[in-house]
Amino acid sequence: MATEIIMPKLGVDMQEGQIIEWKKKEGDEVKEGEILLEIMSDKTNMELEAEATGTLIKILKKDGETVPVTEVIGYIGKKGEVVGEETKPTEVKEEEKEEKTEKNAKDYDIIVIGGGPAGYYCAIRAAQLGARALVIEKIEVGGTCLNRGCIPTKTYLKNAEIIENIQHAKKRGIILKDEKYTVDMDKTVDVKNNVVKTLTNGIKGLFRSYGIDCIHGVGKVLNDKTVVVDDKKFTADKIVIATGSKVSKINIPGIESKLVLTSDDILELRQVPESLGIIGGGVVGVELAQAFNSFGSNVTIIEMSDRVVPSCDEEVSQVLRKSLESKGIKILTSSKLNSIEEKEGRLTLKLEGKEDVVVDKALLSIGRVPELEGTEDLGLTLERGRIKVDEYMQTNIEGVYAPGDVNGIKMLAHAAFRMGELVAENAIKGNHRKVKLASTPAAVYTMPEIGMVGLTETKAREKYDISVGKFNFAGNGRAIASDETAGFVKVIADKKYGEILGVHIIGPAAAEIINEAATLMEMEITVDEVAKTIHGHPTFSEALYEACLDVLGEAIHLPKKINK
Ligand code: FAD
């Protein structure tokens, strides 16, 4: 399908633009990113780059013509491809009629296997585009995120925050008569289950409102693309494998002990373990360490790498470690677990070259792997256990797509949302939207929180000449008023153009502020453009603004810099 070249809108006031000069002519080969033409608005001139690689098959508007914004001015496609007026349907030909009848004979336009973030988002977007959609879900809609992941953990972490606030109250002049507290895990689990139910019922309601069918069961896709659930068969033009992921296991002696829990199990515990060993100090590991530490467990994190949450910027990881340790969490980095021994209802975690760690229970949180159940007969190409997809999220089989955790590209719920949406559009309207996930933010909901997007400082230095701006929350009015001054915002920008390459935050509201940073990056807004914006005062997000100013050496609430 040809890619449209449109007259861009270069500013809110721009209504039309003039084509100054096409730099290519019809029939020329063009590469993505290559300059195609020069345009002019009432404010500026700009060179327009090709958004796809191919042949410039049609120029609709010539040099000198003035064109309203968003109007199509040309097409890039395959050599010989026909576009524009010629593609407008006139009358349906006999063979097309036959094709249409066969199409309608299928039970659905799209079948989605898995009702998690990728699957439910895909089904709803497909229905918005007019498709008849079926979702097959083996456990409960909402998937890992709503039932066993993002939402349950954040419900527990809210309790942890309340506990921290109770502990903190006295320091701020709030005298509680009895500062002792206990955690009722039955009630805690019930609250979590109610939150989950509210959200999963919400998804079911959305399905009903969009006329999406949803059936319970394991979906199995046969090699003719028929989908089987128990003894029922369903057909569709497009199949979406959104089966997500499951807990990754390690093959060491003792791992099968019932006292070794997964993140699914720990969220169902009705008693707080006196001591808890956390195997893996990644995002899930540190979040659950924080929660169970505040519930009263003695927590030890065992992490193979030299720092916790190794995906974070190094400085962020250091501040996090300090904060977790200050709360009494023991952290063993560069530590390899060799085996586990269960004795008299307790576990001994045997580490290579280090002292044993003895705990009541252990959490295995070393990552997740794609769930491929039901796809075995399809002949999908895999890459390190993940379903291989192209930039349209299509697998090696035409008409079969695989968004979300199952392709392992970015195992986050909001990345799954985007992939699901994109798949719906490509499946229903033809492959035209390419996946772009570079400015996907990520967050860790510890206290203090972490937010990150783009390159870390180390990675950015490897590739670019960079400037780094940093602003500590210790200089932010709202943070001081809230007594939440630990942490900072770090902005990494390209030295020459000021383009933001990465933002790393540890501190209050980091998971919220990072969305602003991600938007700046997606919109390619430079630090000097951020400097022209106004941030409300007092807000935590002023720290992002000041960090951008610091890239320019112009932060107002930082002392004068020498030699900057
Ligand atoms: P899933 O959510 O795994 O959904 C797949 C669905 O498919 C499941 O419901 C499954 O039952 C179903 N299924 C599988 N096979 C079949 C079959 N053959 N037939 C029928 N149904 C099938 N991400 C964030 O962005 N933020 C967070 O804070 C966050 N916290 C997390 C905390 C934990 C403890 C965990 C484990 C994960 C967390 N994640 C978080 C990751 C997030 O949950 C996933 O990235 C997201 O759920 C992926 O969505 P998905 O639709 O691809 O897969």
Side-chain angles (χ1 to χ4, degrees), residues 414-474:
H414 41 287
F417 286 156
R418 172 50 49 88
M419 292 188 248
E421 175 205 343
L422 186 131
V423 161
E425 300 208 353
N426 287 341
I428 304 305
K429 300 202 294 191
N431 290 347
H432 65 292
R433 270 189 71 187
K434 293 180 184 175
V435 70
K436 253 179 87 193
L437 295 170
S439 37
T440 307
V444 189
Y445 294 75
T446 39
M447 283 158 270
E449 285 180 1
I450 293 172
M452 50 190 155
V453 59
L455 298 175
T456 60
E457 190 177 337
T458 310
K459 289 264 177 253
R461 277 195 199 286
E462 283 168 13
K463 281 177 87 177
Y464 302 94
D465 190 12
I466 59 166
S467 292
V468 178
K470 198 172 161 196
F471 194 82
N472 290 327
F473 280 102

Side-chain angles (χ1 to χ4, degrees), residues 50-354:
E51 285 190 7
T53 298
T55 306
L56 178 58
I57 44 177
K58 189 101 191 152
I59 291 179
L60 295 174
K61 304 286 172 186
K62 306 270 181 306
D63 293 358
E65 282 193 62
T66 299
V67 185
V69 293
T70 73
E71 193 169 309
V72 180
I73 54 176
Y75 289 94
I76 297 169
K78 289 194 192 118
K79 213 178 188 118
E81 196 177 340
V82 179
V83 287
E85 289 302 309
E86 294 94 319
T87 54
K88 281 195 182 155
T90 41
E91 63 185 70
V92 181
K93 294 184 195 131
E94 275 314 304
E95 56 275 26
E96 277 171 351
K97 272 190 197 156
E98 268 171 37
E99 201 185 299
K100 261 190 127 193
T101 321
E102 196 199 310
K103 204 173 170 186
N104 289 340
K106 298 249 170 79
D107 300 318
Y108 291 93
D109 297 314
I110 188 164
I111 294 179
V112 181
I113 303 179
Y120 84 68
Y121 218 92
C122 178
I124 292 173
R125 185 70 192 121
Q128 285 177 342
L129 294 170
R132 297 163 303 148
L134 167 68
V135 174
I136 301 163
E137 170 53 56
K138 68 177 177 180
I139 306 175
E140 178 61 293
V141 292
T144 306
C145 176
L146 265 52
N147 295 286
R148 303 171 291 283
C150 326
I151 298 296
T153 48
K154 281 21 154 216
T155 312
Y156 278 21
L157 284 160
K158 181 68 197 175
N159 284 15
E161 186 190 328
I162 293 169
I163 292 168
E164 277 211 356
N165 286 340
I166 294 171
Q167 292 166 338
H168 199 61
K170 196 172 165 189
K171 216 178 138 194
R172 296 182 63 89
I174 302 160
I175 312 299
L176 300 170
K177 280 216 174 98
D178 184 358
E179 281 175 46
K180 288 206 182 102
Y181 68 88
T182 52
V183 175
D184 175 349
M185 278 312 283
D186 279 330
K187 179 79 183 159
T188 306
V189 174
D190 287 351
V191 169
K192 181 262 296 176
N193 289 345
N194 281 335
V195 170
V196 169
K197 207 164 163 197
T198 305
L199 287 164
T200 53
N201 281 345
I203 304 292
K204 287 175 199 162
L206 289 172
F207 281 180
R208 279 194 297 277
S209 92
Y210 280 104
I212 296 164
D213 289 340
C214 182
I215 56 171
H216 187 263
V218 176
K220 189 171 171 54
V221 194
L222 307 181
N223 65 3
D224 64 354
K225 292 203 264 181
T226 306
V227 181
V228 182
V229 185
D230 299 326
D231 53 356
K232 294 193 197 76
K233 282 190 175 180
F234 301 93
T235 52
D237 293 318
K238 302 286 157 60
I239 308 289
V240 179
I241 312 286
T243 48
S245 61
K246 56 186 178 188
V247 170
S248 172
K249 300 256 160 112
I250 33 171
N251 195 12
I252 55 164
I255 197 76
E256 66 290 343
S257 163
K258 291 227 163 9
L259 302 177
V260 179
L261 311 173
T262 64
S263 57
D264 298 357
D265 307 324
I266 203 168
L267 292 165
E268 295 304 322
L269 276 189
R270 299 276 168 167
Q271 256 189 338
V272 178
E274 209 162 291
S275 53
L276 178 67
I278 296 201
I279 307 162
V283 177
V284 172
V286 294
E287 284 190 355
L288 287 166
Q290 174 98 63
F292 278 85
N293 167 67
S294 65
F295 294 173
S297 288
N298 281 317
V299 177
T300 306
I301 297 175
I302 296 156
E303 167 57 45
M304 199 135 95
S305 145
D306 60 353
R307 57 200 178 95
V308 283
V309 198
S311 56
C312 280
D313 187 86
E314 278 168 42
E315 265 187 285
V316 168
S317 182
Q318 280 163 17
V319 175
L320 175 67
R321 179 177 191 146
K322 223 169 126 193
S323 154
L324 294 174
E325 284 176 337
S326 73
K327 287 164 193 167
I329 296 172
K330 205 168 161 200
I331 299 176
L332 304 172
T333 43
S334 307
S335 300
K336 185 171 176 228
L337 179 68
N338 277 343
S339 64
I340 302 174
E341 280 175 14
E342 185 183 332
K343 214 154 96 196
E344 293 164 6
R346 301 198 83 199
L347 294 173
T348 302
L349 309 178
K350 298 204 153 286
L351 310 183
E352 194 166 283
K354 293 200 175 165

